[in-house]
Amino acid sequence: MPVVEIKKNIYWVGVVDWNLHNFHGYSLAPKGTTYNAFLVLDDKITLFDTVPEKFKLDLYHQIQQLIKITDINYIVVNHVEPDHSGALPFIIEKSQPEKVFCSTMGQKALLSHYHQENWPLEVVTNNDKLSLGKKTVLFMETRMLHWPDSMFSFIPEDKLLISNDAFGQNIASSFRFDDEVNLDELLFEAKHYYANIILPYSALVQKTLAEVAKQGWDIDMIAPDHGFIWRSHVKEILAAYQEFSLQKLKPKAVIVYDSMWQSTEKMAKAIAEGLQKENVSVRLMSLKTYHHSDVMGEVMDAAAVICGSPTHNNGILPLMADFLTYMKGLKPTNRIGAAFGSFGWSGEAPKIIASILEQAKFELPVEPIKVKHVPTHEDLKKCKEMGETLAKAIKQKVN
Ligand code: FEO
């Protein structure tokens, strides 16, 4: 990939991972991602973040397009997760930098990842300033956004915030900037990224946005470590993060299910009919078709998540177990839940689902529904009524 000057003497030197389709359980198919790294050319030549180990030579060649790797003076590690630090041992070995800057937790994480006691690590914390010559770097720890080591680097002379994972999107592209693609699609991807990476830390997003405002940082470019760089829509992505982190809900329900012989699917459609009758928007998502991370993207603004599985060996189907585990870990708050499913002879599935939803702190305004074998017209009527009752609870919640 060609390097790109994003600000005067600041270059994108990252790599594009066109073929990554699963990022520890987050489906990136079919779009892939990028790992953004940035090189500042100043009196102290400084590299911000690296890339996965398997792309270390790509990063090396990117850097060598601009300077000799041995010209690097400083490296800043905003985040230790291996998609941003995997190439660090190689780059340190090649460049022999004077200093490697990281947060307190970053130092611990680097030592426990790479076991290199002799690296020239230097801890920085909130309000620390690092002069590179004409440019300065201000640091802000963003603990648990989304790892304990995470931090922001802000270059005030360029109004540039290097934000590590925050504000990212998983999209592989030959373009680098937000104004080179459709904004709605970009915000859609940012929402899905938030749902799958940032959602459990929403309270910290609120705190961080407030801290950035308090610092009075004048930001006209946000460069995350994944996806497009925000230069024309900074206000929009900041507003979107406010909205995402407040978990603002719409009169919308996601009906997510797996089915063996279409009985649970028939129930799902009948519940959807009841919701639609009451003017609640519905997304019907079969887990055979949709990956759990795609469903989470829809859960982001949905007031209700209605989950269905037939009973299988006295339990729930594996895809539903997978989805519930994934969603519970992402901790969506203030949502309504409900459970349904068909059965042959024992019928435990809806109660199991309801119990998991309760553990995940969902409100359950209706009892789980189960239907033996194939739903009758009467059974479907009950499902439809369930949808109507849920619709009323949803409208009450969002109004
Ligand atoms: Fe992109 Fe938390 O790593």
Side-chain angles (χ1 to χ4, degrees), residues 15 27 35 47 51 55 67 77 93 106 147 150 164 229 239 258 262 266 272 282 306 333 356 360 366 382:
V15 301
S27 169
Y35 312 105
L47 177 66
V51 299
F55 290 109
I67 54 163
V77 180
E93 187 196 325
W147 271 28
S150 302
N164 83 70
I229 295 163
D258 195 6
Q262 287 72 56
K266 287 185 177 81
V282 180
I306 304 163
T333 58
I356 297 169
V366 292
K382 279 186 196 149

Side-chain angles (χ1 to χ4, degrees), residues 25-60:
Y26 175 6
S27 169
L28 311 186
K31 292 181 176 151
T33 193
T34 72
Y35 312 105
N36 300 335
F38 304 97
L39 189 70
V40 176
L41 304 185
D42 204 339
D43 296 346
K44 295 291 185 186
I45 294 181
T46 305
L47 177 66
F48 289 80
D49 300 325
T50 69
V51 299
E53 200 271 341
K54 70 175 180 175
F55 290 109
K56 64 187 180 189
L57 286 173
D58 301 72
L59 176 62
Y60 173 80

Side-chain angles (χ1 to χ4, degrees), residues 189-244:
E189 291 301 334
K191 183 171 89 168
H192 277 240
Y193 180 99
Y194 188 99
N196 286 284
I197 306 272
I198 312 283
L199 183 60
Y201 313 109
S202 290
L204 293 167
V205 172
Q206 286 285 304
K207 200 173 143 201
T208 302
L209 291 173
E211 186 57 32
V212 167
K214 190 174 144 201
Q215 291 296 329
W217 287 358
D218 183 10
I219 300 167
D220 76 2
M221 182 180 284
I222 298 178
D225 277 359
H226 296 285
F228 290 87
I229 295 163
W230 302 93
R231 70 175 173 192
S232 294
H233 301 292
V234 169
K235 268 191 198 154
E236 285 87 344
I237 187 63
L238 288 172
Y241 261 57
Q242 274 290 0
E243 190 168 315
F244 300 159

Side-chain angles (χ1 to χ4, degrees), residues 81-333:
E81 193 165 7
D83 52 331
H84 307 296
S85 75
L88 188 65
F90 176 76
I91 297 295
I92 289 179
E93 187 196 325
K94 289 284 175 196
S95 62
Q96 297 293 313
E98 292 165 37
K99 287 177 183 174
V100 176
F101 297 94
C102 58
S103 65
T104 310
M105 299 307 284
Q107 183 184 40
K108 289 181 182 170
L110 284 171
L111 288 170
S112 55
H113 274 77
Y114 302 109
H115 314 288
Q116 296 292 329
E117 302 283 344
N118 59 345
W119 281 358
L121 299 181
E122 185 156 323
V123 167
V124 287
T125 188
N126 291 336
N127 302 318
D128 278 355
K129 276 185 195 176
L130 173 67
S131 173
L132 307 183
K134 294 182 190 67
K135 300 178 194 290
T136 315
V137 188
L138 307 179
F139 297 101
M140 180 186 288
E141 290 196 52
T142 57
R143 281 191 191 197
M144 294 317 299
L145 197 57
H146 72 126
W147 271 28
D149 56 85
S150 302
M151 66 176 187
F152 286 172
S153 297
F154 179 59
I155 301 177
E157 294 81 3
D158 296 291
K159 303 184 179 182
L160 169 65
L161 178 67
I162 300 173
S163 62
N164 83 70
D165 280 330
F167 309 112
Q169 338 85 45
N170 283 314
I171 314 175
S173 172
S174 52
F175 297 109
R176 299 278 71 84
F177 295 104
D178 58 347
D179 46 29
E180 296 176 300
V181 289
N182 178 283
L183 178 61
D184 288 341
E185 284 175 25
L186 195 52
L187 288 171
F188 176 87
E189 291 301 334
K191 183 171 89 168
H192 277 240
Y193 180 99
Y194 188 99
N196 286 284
I197 306 272
I198 312 283
L199 183 60
Y201 313 109
S202 290
L204 293 167
V205 172
Q206 286 285 304
K207 200 173 143 201
T208 302
L209 291 173
E211 186 57 32
V212 167
K214 190 174 144 201
Q215 291 296 329
W217 287 358
D218 183 10
I219 300 167
D220 76 2
M221 182 180 284
I222 298 178
D225 277 359
H226 296 285
F228 290 87
I229 295 163
W230 302 93
R231 70 175 173 192
S232 294
H233 301 292
V234 169
K235 268 191 198 154
E236 285 87 344
I237 187 63
L238 288 172
Y241 261 57
Q242 274 290 0
E243 190 168 315
F244 300 159
S245 59
L246 289 169
Q247 300 200 45
K248 284 192 177 169
L249 305 177
K250 291 182 180 161
K252 168 182 165 182
V254 174
I255 303 178
V256 53
Y257 65 94
D258 195 6
S259 198
M260 290 167 71
W261 300 107
Q262 287 72 56
S263 289
T264 298
E265 186 165 63
K266 287 185 177 81
M267 296 174 77
K269 287 178 180 170
I271 296 166
E273 209 182 312
L275 288 155
Q276 285 168 290
K277 188 172 163 242
E278 295 294 324
N279 297 317
V280 166
S281 84
V282 180
R283 270 308 301 262
L284 207 67
M285 304 181 92
S286 162
L287 288 166
K288 282 195 179 64
T289 303
Y290 291 97
H291 191 267
H292 58 225
S293 51
D294 297 326
V295 180
M296 279 313 298
E298 292 297 329
V299 168
M300 265 296 287
D301 55 4
V305 186
I306 304 163
C307 304
S309 168
T311 298
H312 180 244
N313 297 334
N314 303 106
I316 58 180
L317 282 176
L319 286 176
M320 179 52 67
D322 165 271
F323 169 71
L324 289 170
T325 301
Y326 189 73
M327 179 171 73
K328 192 175 165 205
L330 288 167
K331 299 185 177 67
T333 58

